[in-house]
Amino acid sequence: MILTCPQCATRYQVDGAKFPAAGRNVRCAKCGNVWHQLGPVPEPDPEAELMVEEPPARRQPEPEPEPSYEAAPAEPRAHSFVPTGSAVEVAEVAAPPRARTPWLRRIALGIGWLVLIGLVTAVVWAAINFREKVVFYVPKATSFYVAAGLPVSPRTMDLTDVAYHQTIEDGQRVLTVTSRIVNRGTHELSVPPVRITLFDVDKRTLSSGTFVAPVLSLKSGADSRFSARIANPPLDMKSLEVRFARAGE
Protein backbone atom coordinates (compact mmCIF):
# COMPACT_ATOMS: atom_id res chain seq x y z
CA MET A 1 0.00 0.00 0.00
CA ILE A 2 1.39 3.44 -0.94
CA LEU A 3 0.58 6.56 1.11
CA THR A 4 1.06 10.11 -0.16
CA CYS A 5 1.41 13.05 2.21
CA PRO A 6 -1.10 15.74 1.16
CA GLN A 7 1.24 18.44 2.50
CA CYS A 8 4.63 17.64 0.86
CA ALA A 9 3.62 14.83 -1.54
CA THR A 10 6.16 12.43 -0.01
CA ARG A 11 5.25 8.83 -0.78
CA TYR A 12 5.54 5.87 1.63
CA GLN A 13 5.34 2.12 1.13
CA VAL A 14 3.40 0.56 4.07
CA ASP A 15 1.69 -2.70 4.94
CA GLY A 16 -2.05 -2.36 4.13
CA ALA A 17 -2.92 -4.99 6.71
CA LYS A 18 -2.23 -2.47 9.46
CA PHE A 19 -4.99 -0.16 8.25
CA PRO A 20 -8.63 -1.06 9.04
CA ALA A 21 -11.41 -0.12 6.70
CA ALA A 22 -12.31 2.85 8.94
CA GLY A 23 -8.76 4.14 8.67
CA ARG A 24 -6.30 5.60 11.16
CA ASN A 25 -4.24 8.73 11.71
CA VAL A 26 -0.70 8.82 10.29
CA ARG A 27 2.09 11.40 10.53
CA CYS A 28 4.51 12.32 7.71
CA ALA A 29 8.09 11.64 8.77
CA LYS A 30 9.35 14.45 6.52
CA CYS A 31 7.11 17.47 7.23
CA GLY A 32 5.23 16.27 10.36
CA ASN A 33 1.75 16.64 8.77
CA VAL A 34 -0.97 14.42 10.32
CA TRP A 35 -3.91 13.13 8.28
CA HIS A 36 -6.52 10.37 8.46
CA GLN A 37 -5.83 7.56 6.06
CA LEU A 38 -8.57 5.07 5.14
CA GLY A 39 -7.81 1.38 4.85
CA PRO A 40 -7.59 -0.40 1.53
CA VAL A 41 -10.93 -1.21 -0.12
CA PRO A 42 -11.22 -4.76 -1.52
CA GLU A 43 -11.62 -4.77 -5.28
CA PRO A 44 -14.01 -7.11 -7.04
CA ASP A 45 -11.13 -8.35 -9.19
CA PRO A 46 -11.07 -12.18 -9.26
CA GLU A 47 -7.34 -12.17 -8.66
CA ALA A 48 -7.86 -10.18 -5.46
CA GLU A 49 -10.25 -12.88 -4.21
CA LEU A 50 -7.46 -15.42 -4.36
CA MET A 51 -5.51 -13.54 -1.70
CA VAL A 52 -5.89 -14.92 1.83
CA GLU A 53 -7.22 -12.23 4.12
CA GLU A 54 -6.90 -12.27 7.84
CA PRO A 55 -10.09 -12.63 9.92
CA PRO A 56 -11.85 -9.30 10.59
CA ALA A 57 -11.16 -9.65 14.29
CA ARG A 58 -7.42 -9.64 13.67
CA ARG A 59 -7.56 -6.59 11.46
CA GLN A 60 -9.18 -4.47 14.19
CA PRO A 61 -6.65 -1.95 15.53
CA GLU A 62 -5.62 -2.16 19.12
CA PRO A 63 -7.15 0.63 21.24
CA GLU A 64 -4.68 3.45 21.57
CA PRO A 65 -5.14 7.19 21.95
CA GLU A 66 -4.51 9.04 18.72
CA PRO A 67 -2.07 6.49 17.33
CA SER A 68 0.51 7.93 15.00
CA TYR A 69 2.44 5.96 12.44
CA GLU A 70 5.64 7.12 10.83
CA ALA A 71 6.39 5.00 7.81
CA ALA A 72 9.76 4.72 6.13
CA PRO A 73 9.92 6.76 2.94
CA ALA A 74 9.33 4.78 -0.23
CA GLU A 75 11.82 4.82 -3.03
CA PRO A 76 11.83 8.30 -4.58
CA ARG A 77 10.50 8.81 -8.05
CA ALA A 78 12.99 8.71 -10.86
CA HIS A 79 12.12 12.24 -12.01
CA SER A 80 12.32 13.72 -8.49
CA PHE A 81 16.02 12.87 -7.98
CA VAL A 82 18.35 15.77 -8.62
CA PRO A 83 22.15 15.37 -7.90
CA THR A 84 23.33 17.81 -5.26
CA GLY A 85 26.06 20.26 -6.01
CA SER A 86 28.44 18.57 -3.57
CA ALA A 87 28.13 15.25 -5.42
CA VAL A 88 28.96 16.89 -8.74
CA GLU A 89 31.90 18.70 -7.22
CA VAL A 90 33.35 15.50 -5.70
CA ALA A 91 33.12 13.73 -9.07
CA GLU A 92 35.05 16.56 -10.75
CA VAL A 93 37.80 16.55 -8.11
CA ALA A 94 38.23 12.75 -8.30
CA ALA A 95 38.79 12.84 -12.08
CA PRO A 96 42.49 12.26 -13.02
CA PRO A 97 44.38 15.34 -14.26
CA ARG A 98 44.90 14.12 -17.82
CA ALA A 99 46.29 17.44 -18.95
CA ARG A 100 49.38 17.02 -16.69
CA THR A 101 50.43 13.62 -18.08
CA PRO A 102 52.44 15.01 -21.05
CA TRP A 103 54.40 17.28 -18.68
CA LEU A 104 55.39 14.33 -16.50
CA ARG A 105 56.62 12.48 -19.56
CA ARG A 106 58.63 15.48 -20.68
CA ILE A 107 60.21 15.84 -17.25
CA ALA A 108 61.14 12.12 -17.15
CA LEU A 109 62.58 12.36 -20.67
CA GLY A 110 64.60 15.42 -19.71
CA ILE A 111 66.03 13.68 -16.64
CA GLY A 112 67.01 10.69 -18.78
CA TRP A 113 68.86 12.94 -21.25
CA LEU A 114 70.66 14.71 -18.40
CA VAL A 115 71.83 11.38 -16.95
CA LEU A 116 73.03 10.22 -20.37
CA ILE A 117 74.91 13.47 -21.01
CA GLY A 118 76.50 13.22 -17.54
CA LEU A 119 77.73 9.68 -18.22
CA VAL A 120 79.18 10.62 -21.60
CA THR A 121 80.89 13.65 -20.07
CA ALA A 122 82.41 11.52 -17.30
CA VAL A 123 83.74 8.97 -19.83
CA VAL A 124 85.28 11.69 -22.02
CA TRP A 125 86.86 13.40 -18.99
CA ALA A 126 88.41 10.13 -17.81
CA ALA A 127 89.68 9.30 -21.31
CA ILE A 128 91.41 12.70 -21.54
CA ASN A 129 92.87 12.92 -18.03
CA PHE A 130 93.96 9.28 -17.84
CA ARG A 131 95.01 8.91 -21.46
CA GLU A 132 98.45 7.67 -20.46
CA LYS A 133 96.91 4.68 -18.70
CA VAL A 134 94.60 4.07 -21.66
CA VAL A 135 97.52 4.07 -24.09
CA PHE A 136 99.51 1.80 -21.79
CA TYR A 137 96.84 -0.92 -21.93
CA VAL A 138 95.53 -0.08 -25.44
CA PRO A 139 98.50 1.16 -27.52
CA LYS A 140 96.33 1.54 -30.65
CA ALA A 141 94.46 4.37 -28.94
CA THR A 142 97.52 6.60 -29.42
CA SER A 143 96.43 7.49 -32.98
CA PHE A 144 93.07 8.78 -31.73
CA TYR A 145 94.71 11.06 -29.15
CA VAL A 146 97.19 12.35 -31.72
CA ALA A 147 94.37 13.10 -34.18
CA ALA A 148 92.55 15.01 -31.41
CA GLY A 149 95.66 17.09 -30.69
CA LEU A 150 96.22 15.64 -27.22
CA PRO A 151 99.86 14.91 -26.38
CA VAL A 152 100.41 11.44 -25.00
CA SER A 153 103.43 9.29 -24.37
CA PRO A 154 102.90 5.67 -25.43
CA ARG A 155 105.28 4.51 -22.68
CA THR A 156 104.41 5.97 -19.33
CA MET A 157 105.93 3.14 -17.26
CA ASP A 158 109.29 1.95 -18.54
CA LEU A 159 111.87 -0.77 -17.81
CA THR A 160 115.49 0.36 -18.27
CA ASP A 161 119.01 -0.87 -17.54
CA VAL A 162 118.06 -4.52 -17.99
CA ALA A 163 120.91 -6.90 -17.03
CA TYR A 164 121.32 -10.56 -16.05
CA HIS A 165 124.01 -12.96 -14.89
CA GLN A 166 124.27 -16.58 -13.68
CA THR A 167 125.82 -17.81 -10.45
CA ILE A 168 126.17 -21.11 -8.60
CA GLU A 169 124.47 -21.24 -5.21
CA ASP A 170 124.35 -24.42 -3.10
CA GLY A 171 125.35 -26.49 -6.12
CA GLN A 172 122.66 -25.18 -8.50
CA ARG A 173 122.64 -22.48 -11.16
CA VAL A 174 120.71 -19.30 -10.44
CA LEU A 175 119.81 -16.65 -13.08
CA THR A 176 119.49 -13.14 -11.62
CA VAL A 177 117.71 -10.48 -13.72
CA THR A 178 117.82 -6.81 -12.70
CA SER A 179 116.22 -3.69 -14.10
CA ARG A 180 114.97 -0.23 -13.18
CA ILE A 181 111.27 0.72 -13.32
CA VAL A 182 110.66 4.38 -14.22
CA ASN A 183 107.37 6.30 -14.27
CA ARG A 184 107.62 8.70 -17.21
CA GLY A 185 104.01 9.85 -16.96
CA THR A 186 102.54 12.99 -15.42
CA HIS A 187 100.51 11.17 -12.75
CA GLU A 188 101.17 8.57 -10.11
CA LEU A 189 100.65 5.12 -11.64
CA SER A 190 100.38 1.58 -10.32
CA VAL A 191 103.26 -0.71 -11.23
CA PRO A 192 102.17 -3.82 -13.18
CA PRO A 193 103.86 -7.23 -12.79
CA VAL A 194 107.03 -7.94 -14.77
CA ARG A 195 107.16 -10.74 -17.36
CA ILE A 196 110.49 -12.51 -18.08
CA THR A 197 110.81 -14.87 -21.06
CA LEU A 198 113.87 -16.98 -21.89
CA PHE A 199 114.81 -17.83 -25.52
CA ASP A 200 117.25 -20.17 -27.24
CA VAL A 201 119.56 -19.29 -30.11
CA ASP A 202 116.65 -19.51 -32.58
CA LYS A 203 114.45 -17.19 -30.50
CA ARG A 204 112.19 -20.04 -29.44
CA THR A 205 110.57 -19.68 -26.02
CA LEU A 206 112.15 -21.93 -23.40
CA SER A 207 110.33 -20.70 -20.29
CA SER A 208 108.55 -17.63 -18.97
CA GLY A 209 107.27 -16.33 -15.66
CA THR A 210 105.61 -13.33 -14.03
CA PHE A 211 107.17 -11.51 -11.08
CA VAL A 212 105.66 -8.92 -8.75
CA ALA A 213 107.38 -5.52 -8.65
CA PRO A 214 108.84 -4.38 -5.31
CA VAL A 215 106.50 -1.33 -5.20
CA LEU A 216 102.78 -1.01 -5.88
CA SER A 217 102.91 2.47 -7.45
CA LEU A 218 105.33 5.20 -8.51
CA LYS A 219 104.84 8.93 -8.56
CA SER A 220 105.55 10.92 -11.70
CA GLY A 221 109.30 10.82 -12.48
CA ALA A 222 110.07 8.28 -9.71
CA ASP A 223 111.90 4.97 -10.26
CA SER A 224 112.45 1.68 -8.40
CA ARG A 225 114.96 -1.15 -8.69
CA PHE A 226 113.66 -4.54 -9.82
CA SER A 227 115.36 -7.91 -9.29
CA ALA A 228 114.24 -11.49 -9.99
CA ARG A 229 115.95 -14.87 -9.42
CA ILE A 230 115.30 -17.94 -11.61
CA ALA A 231 116.63 -21.28 -10.34
CA ASN A 232 118.10 -23.77 -12.84
CA PRO A 233 117.45 -21.88 -16.08
CA PRO A 234 117.59 -23.90 -19.34
CA LEU A 235 121.18 -24.66 -20.42
CA ASP A 236 120.53 -23.59 -24.00
CA MET A 237 119.25 -20.14 -23.02
CA LYS A 238 120.87 -17.46 -25.14
CA SER A 239 118.67 -14.38 -24.60
CA LEU A 240 115.75 -13.08 -22.60
CA GLU A 241 112.99 -10.50 -22.71
CA VAL A 242 111.90 -8.31 -19.78
CA ARG A 243 108.60 -6.40 -20.10
CA PHE A 244 105.46 -5.60 -18.17
CA ALA A 245 102.87 -8.39 -18.08
CA ARG A 246 99.72 -7.95 -20.12
CA ALA A 247 96.23 -8.66 -18.88
CA GLY A 248 95.71 -12.38 -18.33
CA GLU A 249 99.43 -13.27 -18.15
Side-chain angles (χ1 to χ4, degrees):
M1 179 177 178
I2 298 177
L3 303 182
T4 303
C5 177
Q7 183 70 23
C8 63
T10 301
R11 304 179 69 190
Y12 299 89
Q13 181 73 36
V14 298
D15 186 5
K18 296 182 178 181
F19 286 80
R24 64 186 301 179
N25 292 339
V26 294
R27 180 184 294 109
C28 178
K30 182 177 181 180
C31 65
N33 180 44
V34 179
W35 76 94
H36 186 81
Q37 179 65 43
L38 297 176
V41 180
E43 298 181 359
D45 192 347
E47 295 182 358
E49 296 177 1
L50 298 177
M51 299 179 59
V52 179
E53 298 183 356
E54 296 179 359
R58 294 184 180 181
R59 291 194 293 175
Q60 294 297 329
E62 298 179 0
E64 55 181 353
E66 288 296 325
S68 62
Y69 177 76
E70 296 184 2
E75 296 183 358
R77 300 177 183 178
H79 63 82
S80 63
F81 175 75
V82 179
T84 61
S86 59
V88 175
E89 293 175 359
V90 171
E92 293 178 354
V93 174
R98 298 181 179 179
R100 298 183 181 181
T101 302
W103 289 103
L104 295 177
R105 293 179 180 176
R106 293 179 183 178
I107 293 174
L109 184 61
I111 294 175
W113 276 108
L114 290 177
V115 172
L116 180 60
I117 293 174
L119 291 176
V120 173
T121 303
V123 171
V124 173
W125 179 86
I128 293 175
N129 290 271
F130 299 97
R131 56 184 180 273
E132 295 178 350
K133 288 187 177 181
V134 174
V135 170
F136 178 78
Y137 291 102
V138 187
K140 293 183 179 180
T142 304
S143 58
F144 294 99
Y145 287 109
V146 173
L150 297 173
V152 61
S153 173
R155 300 177 62 187
T156 54
M157 195 72 70
D158 200 2
L159 285 166
T160 63
D161 303 333
V162 177
Y164 65 92
H165 63 276
Q166 296 190 43
T167 58
I168 302 296
E169 297 181 6
D170 298 331
Q172 65 177 0
R173 293 180 302 107
V174 177
L175 175 65
T176 302
V177 181
T178 59
S179 178
R180 195 164 59 93
I181 303 175
V182 182
N183 181 5
R184 302 186 186 279
T186 57
H187 304 281
E188 181 177 358
L189 299 175
S190 58
V191 179
V194 178
R195 185 80 171 178
I196 299 177
T197 305
L198 307 181
F199 302 98
D200 61 7
V201 67
D202 297 324
K203 291 296 181 180
R204 289 178 297 188
T205 301
L206 298 175
S207 65
S208 60
T210 302
F211 302 85
V212 179
V215 292
L216 296 177
S217 63
L218 285 175
K219 294 184 179 180
S220 176
D223 65 275
S224 176
R225 185 176 180 277
F226 169 78
S227 177
R229 293 164 57 87
I230 302 174
N232 295 322
L235 294 174
D236 53 349
M237 186 208 73
K238 297 299 180 182
S239 62
L240 55 80
E241 178 189 45
V242 181
R243 61 174 176 82
F244 291 114
R246 301 185 181 91
E249 290 184 334

